[in-house]
């Protein structure tokens, strides 16, 4: 999933550069509608499994899931309302790198959507599940 999203992002950047060259001659509506919709559809199918990977006992799996979520947010493939509680819960991860990356995503969302984080309800069950992962290892 991570590789697919990285390839899609590279393709989108290239398509955007091409469109900028031809913007006076092409209709924006015709530019890549099918391709961008495909990535969003794929993510819609797998988003729950990706988010549930935040609770895996191996920190590498959690970090990769967080990297996938970062790409999903950057590409705007899903609305962040379903992702925010998971990102907040990752702020309690035992791995400091994961905590920092999750906090960075929350801050970026707060900049992009001012006030959005404050009105999003924190799912305490998810927070306690991540915290439990950290204490179970010791």
């Amino acid at each position: 999933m991570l590789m697919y999203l990285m390839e899609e992002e590279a393709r989108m950047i290239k398509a955007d550069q091409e469109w900028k060259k031809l913007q006076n001659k092409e209709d924006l509506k015709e530019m890549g509608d099918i391709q961008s919709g495909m990535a969003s559809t794929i993510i819609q199918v797998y988003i729950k499994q990706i988010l549930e990977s935040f609770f895996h006992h191996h920190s590498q799996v959690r970090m990769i899931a967080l990297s996938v979520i970062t790409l999903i947010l950057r590409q705007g493939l899903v609305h962040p309302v379903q992702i925010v509680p998971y990102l907040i819960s990752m702020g309690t991860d035992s791995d400091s790198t994961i905590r920092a990356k999750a906090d960075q995503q929350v801050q970026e969302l707060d900049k992009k959507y001012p006030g959005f984080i404050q009105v999003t309800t924190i799912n305490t069950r998810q927070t306690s599940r991540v915290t439990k992962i950290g204490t179970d290892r010791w």
Side-chain angles (χ1 to χ4, degrees):
M1 192 65 65
L2 181 64
M3 295 303 292
Y4 172 75
L5 289 173
M6 290 171 69
E7 288 172 10
E8 276 300 297
E9 187 168 46
R11 187 202 56 75
M12 286 174 16
I13 290 169
K14 184 178 177 186
D16 186 51
Q17 290 169 346
E18 301 245 342
W19 182 80
K20 284 180 182 177
K21 290 178 192 173
L22 304 171
Q23 66 185 359
N24 296 329
K25 300 174 191 170
E26 274 190 46
D27 182 7
L28 178 61
K29 185 102 172 114
E30 296 174 10
M31 176 92 180
D33 278 350
I34 295 172
Q35 200 64 19
S36 65
M38 179 63 91
S40 181
T41 300
I42 290 170
I43 294 307
Q44 297 289 334
V45 170
Y46 293 106
I47 189 71
K48 186 69 175 166
Q49 291 87 348
I50 295 166
L51 291 171
E52 285 299 313
S53 296
F54 278 7
F55 305 116
H56 198 278
H57 62 279
H58 289 295
S59 64
Q60 290 174 327
V61 173
R62 295 193 310 274
M63 180 55 92
I64 290 171
L66 186 52
S67 296
V68 170
I69 291 299
T70 299
L71 286 170
I72 289 169
L73 290 170
R74 189 166 53 217
Q75 294 176 24
L77 298 175
V78 298
H79 194 280
V81 71
Q82 59 188 321
I83 296 173
V84 168
Y86 290 87
L87 288 174
I88 292 171
S89 69
M90 292 307 287
T92 65
D93 197 276
S94 60
D95 185 316
S96 62
T97 306
I98 292 172
R99 278 195 315 267
K101 189 170 183 173
D103 288 343
Q104 178 186 11
Q105 291 306 305
V106 170
Q107 289 172 5
E108 287 179 20
L109 283 171
D110 196 39
K111 285 179 191 172
K112 190 172 184 178
Y113 308 101
F116 177 72
I117 301 300
Q118 286 74 23
V119 297
T120 303
T121 305
I122 298 173
N123 187 329
T124 56
R125 191 180 110 223
Q126 292 169 341
T127 302
S128 66
R129 284 178 65 191
V130 171
T131 304
K132 186 175 179 342
I133 290 169
T135 58
D136 283 350
R137 285 189 229 134
W138 308 112

